[in-house]
Amino acid sequence: MLFRSVSGALNSVRTGVREHLRHLEAWQPRRCRLRRESCSNGREARETRVAARDRSSAGLREAGAFLSAEVERCTRPALGSHPTAMGPWRCLLLLALLPAALRAQQQQFMEYMERRLALLEERISQWHDQSSRYSTELRDFKNQVLGMLETAEKEREALRAEVESAAVRVDRLEREVDYLETQNPAPPCVEVDETLMEKQVATAKQRKNEKYTKLTDCSDTIASVRAMKILKRFGSTSGLWSKDAAGTSEKIYVFDGTANDTVYVFPRMREFTLFSATRKAARIKLPYPWVGTGHLIYDGHLYYIRQQGPFQVIKFNLANKTVVDSSVFPAEEQIPVFGLSSFTYIEVAADEEGLWAIYATKENEKNICLAKLDPASLDIEQMWDTPCPRENAEGAFVVCGTLHVVYNTQLPSRSRVQCIFDVSGTLATEDASLVYFPKRYGSHSSMKYNPRERQIYAWDDGYQIIYRMEMKKKLEV
């Protein structure tokens, strides 16, 4: 009976050992997978762990084999063999020592697993720290690159602005050089030009006050102002606006202010009336700045005044944007032509006869002078000293060869044509009608007569006004 009990106990122990060994063998692949995942970046550490795992497995198998062999030896008497006399006591000793050995082996295995798990957690923590550091470094690098790109963009914009400014200056310099080359091909020409200018002045003085031969049969003069139309308020208090006095173009040309180098162009009167700003208008950049409000649009060309030492009349082609001709005005010691408009030294006017220049000199500083211009060559054909005073004059225009000077007061009131000068001598001031303009906002800074439309384009304290004139024959006055 004792041997049967011992044999059953040993069979139970053997079955438990075998189950424990099967569990250990099933745990080995999972443990190897965890080791491979935790040590994927260390080949040498992986090989060391594999060797340790093999040694542990071998030790467990040897211990299991030993225990199995001892259990089989203890159970042989129950199976019909002939054990020695010490067999039962040896089996009892094994039964007493086997639980303690299994508990010690299980405790070592658990400690080993805890160490491996702690090592795995440490490596995961290190990976997390490294990943956080890499993420922080990548974010800092991204911010640094964005800052560098923003700085590069600002520098690019500044460089582009500088290049555009340099291109504008180079373009202006090229136009000035082209103009100088056309006017002064060689240094000796400067002396020739000075001599030619002196001859032109002498010739103009000889022609002064000669009888004028009219080019047309125009014999009209102003009877009254038939109507006044205020279009809008645009730009500065002083300026000039006009159409082409000889051509058929409907474009409106605007000179804002008394000194600039830009002309605004509107396609028609409607656009000029509706547009409230210059951003919708075309712009013409002149090669030289203009001064005053005495400029004129005539037959597709702009005749404007430039001051560089002596005053010059520049003829500018509006179609191809080039300077066609220029001429130094042959008058010495010029002064403002109108007492109430100190910014205008030469007033270029147009009528049925062609081009005229209204000016004043210090030699005859009390009265206004008149000259007939050749539109093609800008030469002075004839000059006159008029009896019209400069004092309190605010503007002037020419109609059918007759100069009409408009006067006002220091405190602006109603403007009036108070003095006329007929170059043909057929009409005297005392015989002309006294023409009053309707009361307005201030004083005129420019008055441009259009012979095609028989009306005056005026600039009055920033307001653009059209005066429609009533005409009469000179013999009827």
Side-chain angles (χ1 to χ4, degrees), residues 233-287:
R233 185 170 188 176
F234 174 89
S236 307
T237 56
S238 299
L240 162 70
W241 75 294
S242 176
K243 284 185 178 181
D244 192 327
T248 58
S249 174
E250 293 297 322
K251 293 181 179 180
I252 302 296
Y253 298 87
V254 179
F255 298 76
D256 187 15
T258 59
N260 206 328
D261 61 352
T262 302
V263 181
Y264 301 101
V265 184
F266 294 86
R268 288 180 299 274
M269 184 71 70
R270 175 182 175 83
E271 283 74 9
F272 174 69
T273 305
L274 294 179
F275 292 167
S276 60
T278 59
R279 64 176 179 273
K280 295 184 179 181
R283 301 188 181 191
I284 299 177
K285 197 80 169 180
L286 300 179

Side-chain angles (χ1 to χ4, degrees), residues 179-196:
Y179 173 74
L180 291 176
E181 288 179 353
T182 58
Q183 297 300 314
N184 303 311
C189 294
V190 175
E191 298 181 358
V192 174
D193 289 342
E194 292 178 355
T195 305
L196 180 61

Side-chain angles (χ1 to χ4, degrees), residues 60 107 196 240 245 360 371 402 410 419 435 448 450 452 466:
L60 290 174
Q107 181 67 25
L196 180 61
L240 162 70
T402 302
Q410 293 292 340
C419 181
V435 178
K448 290 298 177 182
N450 190 303
R452 293 190 300 111
I466 294 178

Side-chain angles (χ1 to χ4, degrees), residues 103-289:
R103 284 194 299 271
Q105 188 176 10
Q106 186 178 6
Q107 181 67 25
Q108 292 178 359
F109 177 73
M110 294 302 296
E111 290 177 357
Y112 172 76
M113 290 302 299
E114 288 178 356
R115 288 196 301 273
R116 301 309 301 172
L117 291 174
L119 182 61
L120 180 61
E121 291 179 354
E122 182 181 358
R123 291 184 176 277
I124 292 175
S125 178
Q126 292 178 358
W127 173 82
H128 180 72
D129 295 340
Q130 292 177 358
S131 177
S132 299
R133 187 173 67 253
Y134 294 155
S135 177
T136 302
E137 292 177 355
L138 180 61
R139 185 167 54 254
D140 295 341
F141 178 72
K142 177 183 176 182
N143 295 333
Q144 183 179 3
V145 170
L146 290 176
M148 295 173 63
L149 289 176
E150 184 177 358
T151 303
E153 182 67 20
K154 292 180 180 178
E155 293 179 354
R156 186 178 71 86
E157 292 295 333
L159 181 61
R160 184 176 65 180
E162 293 179 359
V163 170
E164 291 178 353
S165 177
V168 172
R169 291 196 296 268
V170 169
D171 182 60
R172 183 177 298 178
L173 180 61
E174 288 179 351
R175 287 184 293 179
E176 291 181 356
V177 169
D178 292 341
Y179 173 74
L180 291 176
E181 288 179 353
T182 58
Q183 297 300 314
N184 303 311
C189 294
V190 175
E191 298 181 358
V192 174
D193 289 342
E194 292 178 355
T195 305
L196 180 61
M197 187 181 68
E198 293 176 358
K199 291 181 179 180
Q200 289 178 350
V201 172
T203 304
K205 288 183 178 180
Q206 292 177 359
R207 295 179 179 179
K208 184 176 289 187
N209 299 325
E210 291 182 356
K211 184 176 178 59
Y212 176 73
T213 302
K214 297 188 65 173
L215 302 177
T216 65
D217 57 354
C218 177
S219 60
D220 294 335
T221 186
I222 298 176
S224 62
V225 177
R226 184 176 63 184
M228 177 184 74
K229 182 179 180 180
I230 302 174
L231 270 74
K232 61 186 296 185
R233 185 170 188 176
F234 174 89
S236 307
T237 56
S238 299
L240 162 70
W241 75 294
S242 176
K243 284 185 178 181
D244 192 327
T248 58
S249 174
E250 293 297 322
K251 293 181 179 180
I252 302 296
Y253 298 87
V254 179
F255 298 76
D256 187 15
T258 59
N260 206 328
D261 61 352
T262 302
V263 181
Y264 301 101
V265 184
F266 294 86
R268 288 180 299 274
M269 184 71 70
R270 175 182 175 83
E271 283 74 9
F272 174 69
T273 305
L274 294 179
F275 292 167
S276 60
T278 59
R279 64 176 179 273
K280 295 184 179 181
R283 301 188 181 191
I284 299 177
K285 197 80 169 180
L286 300 179
Y288 309 107

